[in-house]
Structure formats: C-alpha cells, structure tokens
Amino acid sequence: MSSLTVVYNEISEVAGLLHKNGWAEKNAGNFSILVDLDFEINSGKHYPLPKPYTELANKVFIVTGKGKRMRDIARSPAENTVVFKINSKGDMYSILSVALVTPTSELPTHLAIHSMIAQRSSNERAVMHSHVTELIALTHIEKYCDQDRFNNMLWQMHPETIMFIPTGVGFVPFELPGSSEIATATVEALKYHSIALWEKHGVFSIASNLNDCYDLIDIIAKATKIYLMCAAVGTLPQGLSTNQLDQLKDIEF
Ligand SMILES: [Zn+2]
C-alpha cells in the first residue's frame, strides 16, 4: 500500500466520523496534514500564498478542498482533497494531485499553525477544524466565554479530560473565518494548548495524525455533552471535586 493510500484511508475514516457526528454540515470543517511524499508536479502552475511561510518551504501538505463536503471527502479523498508543495521561498504553492481542487478557505489559518509547529520542532503534523455542536452551544453562554471557567467545567465532567488534556483548551474570541486576525489568535492559543475553541463557530486541534486530532475533540465534546445533558434536565452537574482532579493528575498512563 503506498504512503498516499495510507493517508487517504485515514482521511476517509476521520471525515466519515466528523460527518456522522453531525460536526460537518454542508461543506463545514477542514483539515491539513504535513506529509513526506514524493510527487511529480501535476499542474506546473504556481499559486500565490497570502504571505510568505518561510518555515514551510519545500514542504508537502494534503488539505481538504474548498467547498467540499466531509461526507464526499470520506467517500473519495482523492477527488475532494488537494496535495500541494510550497516553493523554496514559502510564498507560492504548486498542486501535485491529479484532481485540480482549490485548498480550503481556511488555508491561511492552517499554514500559520503549521509554521508555528515547524518553529518548535514538535511531532504534530495534522490540523483539524470542525463545527462541534455541543462546543459551539456552550460558547453562546457568556459565562463560558472565559478560558479558565470553560476548562474547569470540562475537567470536572469526566476523569479522562484532565488526564488527556491537562493543559486545557485555548479560547479564541469571535473573529471572521478566514481572516488574518483569527489565524493569529488561533496560533497564539495553540502555542499553549492542543485545542483552540472558536467562540460561536467551532474548534481546532493539532496532533501527530488526524485520528489523534479527532480524539482530542471527541474527549472535550463528551465532557461538554455531559454538562449539557445535566443542564437539560434542570440540574447543573456536581462535577469532580478538586481533590479527585488532583488525584487524576497523578495517574500514570
Ligand atoms: Zn468553520
């Protein structure tokens, strides 16, 4: 099985999960993966990037296509994603894949995040954006538009949240999607957290692969769902105690 087939298989699996969870209405959601693949340039055309990304020079990415549905990406990754290579100056890219698909409109945010990752030389290679209904709902409640309060609620809802997401979620106040402002704010949040929550919009996560990006989001979606289920029956949840959370932090896994 070629390396590209392995990546397409993972894309298919995770895109299908995002769709089935109802986290990807219409063409919502997007992701990008840094890959080590040898490709012949297909189009020969060079497309300008909105700004130079010098840290990403000569790197190859697979990203979801602009306007493409997550359910179509799951069915046919090759026709709904695009593989491209950034040039040696980091200011243009060339499409390598066969289908001439335009990259997602959130490309500036994805590339800004990958640039930040490249500068700290970590093993993170995948970036995912999704419209997780439960998380968006909570950012419509003013008191949870506060990073500390939001994270304390998440940790209290389920033992695994503090175990797997000990640094919590970074909160990004509302900005227009696709703007340089939201890219900058998201990068800042992801310097310290593996998940950035976009007020009244959705969530971004970063990890070494797409499945791990999905797991991070799934964990906080579950915690949020528990909170909302209790609230829906008229009782706010008791939550794990400070002592219980302290003990959970010490568990080796
Ligand atoms: Zn979105």
Side-chain angles (χ1 to χ4, degrees):
M1 203 183 292
S2 76
S3 309
L4 187 57
T5 305
V6 171
V7 179
Y8 281 157
N9 285 347
E10 186 179 28
I11 286 174
S12 195
E13 180 190 359
V14 175
L17 287 168
L18 294 173
H19 165 62
K20 281 179 191 150
N21 284 347
W23 297 347
E25 76 285 355
K26 198 173 181 287
N27 60 330
N30 39 70
F31 47 74
S32 59
I33 314 161
L34 170 65
V35 290
D36 295 318
L37 297 172
D38 241 352
F39 259 96
E40 288 300 318
I41 291 177
N42 177 50
S43 72
K45 277 190 186 171
H46 300 288
Y47 300 89
L49 288 166
K51 56 171 265 196
Y53 298 91
T54 49
E55 296 83 4
L56 303 181
N58 302 314
K59 293 190 187 291
V60 176
F61 292 91
I62 298 184
V63 306
T64 46
K66 188 176 185 175
K68 301 298 184 186
R69 295 185 184 98
M70 210 49 79
R71 60 183 185 270
D72 291 335
I73 294 168
R75 182 180 47 78
S76 179
E79 289 174 20
N80 294 285
T81 61
V82 54
V83 187
F84 65 82
K85 182 172 184 173
I86 296 182
N87 70 357
S88 58
K89 287 184 181 170
D91 60 356
M92 311 268 278
Y93 68 89
S94 306
I95 292 180
L96 309 180
S97 44
V98 176
L100 284 177
V101 174
T102 306
T104 167
S105 55
E106 288 293 357
L107 187 65
T109 300
H110 282 264
L111 293 182
I113 294 167
H114 283 290
S115 280
M116 180 272 287
I117 291 169
Q119 287 174 60
R120 69 183 179 192
S121 304
S122 67
N123 67 350
E124 293 144 322
R125 302 173 76 86
V127 175
M128 179 187 285
H129 170 55
S130 184
H131 292 180
V132 179
T133 320
E134 301 90 323
L135 296 173
I136 299 166
L138 221 58
T139 68
H140 282 276
I141 301 171
E142 195 179 359
K143 75 171 180 172
Y144 288 114
C145 292
D146 175 281
Q147 188 168 294
D148 290 342
R149 199 174 283 158
F150 192 90
N151 283 318
N152 284 327
M153 180 281 293
L154 286 180
W155 289 327
Q156 286 172 2
M157 287 307 103
H158 196 256
E160 296 205 351
T161 316
I162 201 156
M163 291 166 64
F164 291 115
I165 308 175
T167 56
V169 170
F171 185 80
V172 177
F174 187 84
E175 294 284 356
L176 287 180
S179 64
S180 61
E181 288 80 6
I182 204 159
T184 304
T186 307
V187 166
E188 204 49 37
L190 292 174
K191 280 181 185 170
Y192 311 101
H193 310 273
S194 52
I195 306 170
L197 184 67
W198 280 7
E199 180 185 353
K200 300 183 181 82
H201 182 145
V203 63
F204 261 82
S205 64
I206 53 174
S208 57
N209 58 59
L210 269 193
N211 264 300
D212 286 352
C213 281
Y214 175 83
D215 288 342
L216 289 168
I217 295 174
D218 202 21
I219 289 168
I220 63 164
K222 165 152 270 190
T224 306
K225 210 168 181 176
I226 294 166
Y227 177 87
L228 293 173
M229 285 174 88
C230 291
V233 295
T235 308
L236 288 181
Q238 186 182 23
L240 294 159
S241 68
T242 306
N243 185 36
Q244 287 167 335
L245 288 170
D246 286 343
Q247 288 177 301
L248 285 163
K249 281 183 207 160
D250 295 334
I251 291 180
E252 303 255 346
F253 59 92

